[in-house]
Amino acid sequence: MRFSAQVKPISYLKANAAEILLNLAEKQEPMVITQNGEAKAVIQDIASFEQAQETLALLKLLALGNRDVEAGRTTPARAAIEKLRSTTTGH
């Protein structure tokens, strides 16, 4: 994805907000908004934002899991399954 095709000044955002929102939803590509020639903000459609947040959450869980493995905080699969079974059956 190239952000250079989606760089617009803030004046464009102000004048074309409704059209921009439609395009964001349709293309699902973020837009960089500039002010005085400097990038100041990125806007994107809500579906893409939510997907990105879910992806970040999964990556964080993977990173935490990797830290646990590196620190030796692991349990063999059989033991974990048995513990789950005993918790759900009350044994």
Side-chain angles (χ1 to χ4, degrees):
M1 167 181 0
R2 293 183 53 120
F3 290 118
S4 59
Q6 289 289 91
V7 177
K8 301 291 182 191
I10 196 164
S11 58
Y12 183 84
L13 174 64
K14 290 176 184 178
N16 301 287
E19 178 186 337
I20 289 170
L21 292 177
L22 289 173
N23 287 337
L24 288 172
E26 182 181 300
K27 294 180 183 179
Q28 294 190 331
E29 293 179 356
M31 179 179 285
V32 176
I33 302 300
T34 63
Q35 187 175 34
N36 299 322
E38 186 178 331
K40 292 289 186 174
V42 176
I43 59 172
Q44 68 184 132
D45 65 287
I46 192 68
S48 295
F49 175 78
E50 289 173 342
Q51 183 179 14
Q53 293 301 305
E54 289 174 11
T55 300
L56 287 172
L58 289 172
L59 288 172
K60 185 174 182 178
L61 288 173
L62 285 171
L64 292 171
N66 283 339
R67 278 195 220 150
D68 283 344
V69 169
E70 290 170 1
R73 293 187 299 265
T74 60
T75 302
R78 283 189 202 279
I81 291 168
E82 287 302 318
K83 184 175 181 178
L84 287 172
R85 285 185 179 150
S86 68
T87 303
T88 58
T89 61
H91 295 108

